[in-house]
Amino acid sequence: MSDTEATVQVLRELVPEELQAPRVAIICGSGLSGLVASLRHSVLVSYDKLPGFVQSTVPGHKSSLAFGFMGSGAGVPVVAMLGRFHPYEGHKLSSVVYPVRVMANMGVKNIIITNAAGALNPNLSVGTIVVVHDHIALPNLTGMNPLLGPQTNPSLPRFLPLSDAYSRMLRKLVFRAARDLSIERDALAEGTYAWVSGPTYETPAEGRFLRAAGADVVGMSTVPEVVAAREENMNVLVLSLVTNAVVIPLGYESVRDEFEAEIAGTSTKAVVDEVVSHEEVLAIGKIKGDLMKSLVEKILDLLPTDV
Ligand SMILES: O=P(O)(O)O[C@@H]1C[C@H](O)[C@@H](CO)O1
Ligand SMILES: Nc1nc2[nH]cnc2c(=O)[nH]1
């Protein structure tokens, strides 16, 4: 029996039969566990009961799986991760993606991955939900790829294409859901997510570098889960909530102008002194969580029955 099968067997003992076949997995990003507040008939399973699961150590992340029905009518059976694992916590990449493999083993075919992210694109304002259509993953390209090493399942592809990683069908559904909910157009955007390891936030120069490379938002999670989910042949949707702007203007670093202006008694240009914090990230999650929740519920309502 594989490791994931052993974990699924434990879940089958802890979760009632009607909840054992979730159609959709949801990963709740920083401060976004409220996404699944409307789960019905819900059952929580703490990660410490599940072999292979580690603990989430980040504020705003709990350490439980939630099973239940979500959406209108009878609802859709879902399993949600209330808290994810990040490599910067010291978790191995194989541990980071282990829950995705367990959920795939349970038969889940669709995954909605959410995260909190910083905006690199100056047109994105705080609170915007970005429907991710591509990613740039420097760690993946330079030796921190969750698929490095022996194949976990030889029936899965060794060389995984990622040009189609983000399901067009699910992305389109987001915009249909937004229209049905009369969500204003500017509340949603599309973009490319840059994955960095963290836990440091970006320097201005790093922000400029990632923006110049074509990224719209940046975060410290998600991509390993996307890669594993694609290897497991799931349909992937990623929603990034913009919680802060990454400071990237060029030129504010110079203190010479500032010094010389002080000596001359003239004014200087404004110094950019915004500093991002995780508390701010969580606060925006709280403010915009309801919008994200309504959107996810509507997406579930609209999900075709054959996927
Ligand atoms: O788990 P996500 O990607 O939502 O969390 C983001 C990235 C860091 O873990 C944290 C930084 O504030 O928020
Ligand atoms: N890397 C990174 N992750 C984030 N998560 C939320 N905001 C940010 C940010 O500005 N940078």
Side-chain angles (χ1 to χ4, degrees):
M1 189 191 299
S2 71
D3 289 350
T4 49
E5 275 162 5
T7 308
V8 171
Q9 195 150 310
V10 173
L11 279 168
R12 295 213 189 287
E13 284 156 21
L14 297 172
V15 176
E17 204 170 332
E18 67 271 19
L19 297 175
Q20 287 182 13
R23 285 181 57 208
V24 178
I26 300 171
I27 301 183
C28 301
S30 279
L32 292 171
S33 291
L35 265 184
V36 292
S38 64
L39 268 191
R40 298 189 297 282
H41 309 293
S42 68
V43 169
L44 288 187
V45 180
S46 162
Y47 292 164
D48 59 15
K49 296 211 168 70
L50 297 173
F53 274 61
V54 289
Q55 292 292 303
S56 184
T57 63
V58 185
H61 289 260
K62 299 174 185 160
S63 281
S64 298
L65 283 183
F67 291 81
F69 291 89
M70 204 170 150
S72 53
V76 173
V78 307
V79 53
M81 285 183 72
L82 308 183
R84 61 148 57 92
F85 313 129
H86 309 81
Y88 67 73
E89 296 173 77
H91 300 311
K92 291 187 295 190
L93 276 170
S94 56
S95 303
V96 169
V97 301
Y98 188 76
V100 173
R101 298 203 183 283
V102 169
M103 295 187 288
N105 197 300
M106 295 191 86
V108 174
K109 295 277 182 287
N110 306 283
I111 187 164
I112 302 175
I113 301 175
T114 65
N115 62 59
L120 298 163
N121 182 335
N123 297 322
L124 292 175
S125 45
V126 168
T128 306
I129 294 172
V130 177
V131 183
V132 173
H133 57 203
D134 203 348
H135 70 232
I136 295 173
L138 294 178
N140 268 6
L141 297 173
T142 56
M144 215 172 122
N145 190 307
L147 306 191
L148 283 180
Q151 278 187 274
T152 41
N153 179 348
S155 69
L156 303 174
R158 172 77 285 199
F159 301 104
L160 184 72
L162 288 178
S163 49
D164 60 349
Y166 298 87
S167 162
R168 289 187 84 81
M169 178 272 294
L170 290 179
R171 283 188 275 143
K172 224 177 267 177
L173 223 50
V174 180
F175 292 100
R176 180 164 304 164
R179 200 191 51 174
D180 287 4
L181 293 169
S182 305
I183 292 175
E184 63 180 48
R185 198 171 188 280
D186 285 351
L188 288 185
E190 295 180 273
T192 295
Y193 178 94
W195 174 42
V196 296
S197 77
T200 45
Y201 292 111
E202 292 64 43
T203 67
E206 288 165 347
R208 284 196 294 276
F209 168 73
L210 293 169
R211 178 68 189 139
D216 297 290
V217 289
V218 56
M220 306 176 197
S221 68
T222 299
V223 168
E225 297 150 0
V226 169
V227 172
R230 284 307 296 150
E231 195 189 38
E232 301 285 357
N233 208 20
M234 288 182 183
N235 300 315
V236 172
L237 174 66
V238 172
L239 301 175
S240 291
L241 174 64
V242 174
T243 53
N244 58 284
V246 177
V247 173
I248 58 175
L250 188 60
Y252 83 93
E253 301 91 337
S254 170
V255 293
R256 176 186 281 181
D257 291 349
E258 203 177 321
F259 170 71
E260 289 175 352
E262 275 167 19
I263 295 290
T266 55
S267 64
T268 56
K269 63 179 180 298
V271 174
V272 177
D273 59 0
E274 295 160 41
V275 175
V276 61
S277 72
H278 189 57
E279 290 66 37
E280 175 190 349
V281 167
L282 294 181
I284 300 300
K286 207 172 235 173
I287 294 167
K288 287 291 170 176
D290 276 352
L291 178 66
M292 189 83 118
K293 177 168 150 293
S294 314
L295 199 57
V296 169
E297 285 166 354
K298 187 52 100 178
I299 292 165
L300 294 175
D301 286 350
L302 295 171
L303 192 70
T305 48
D306 59 345
V307 297

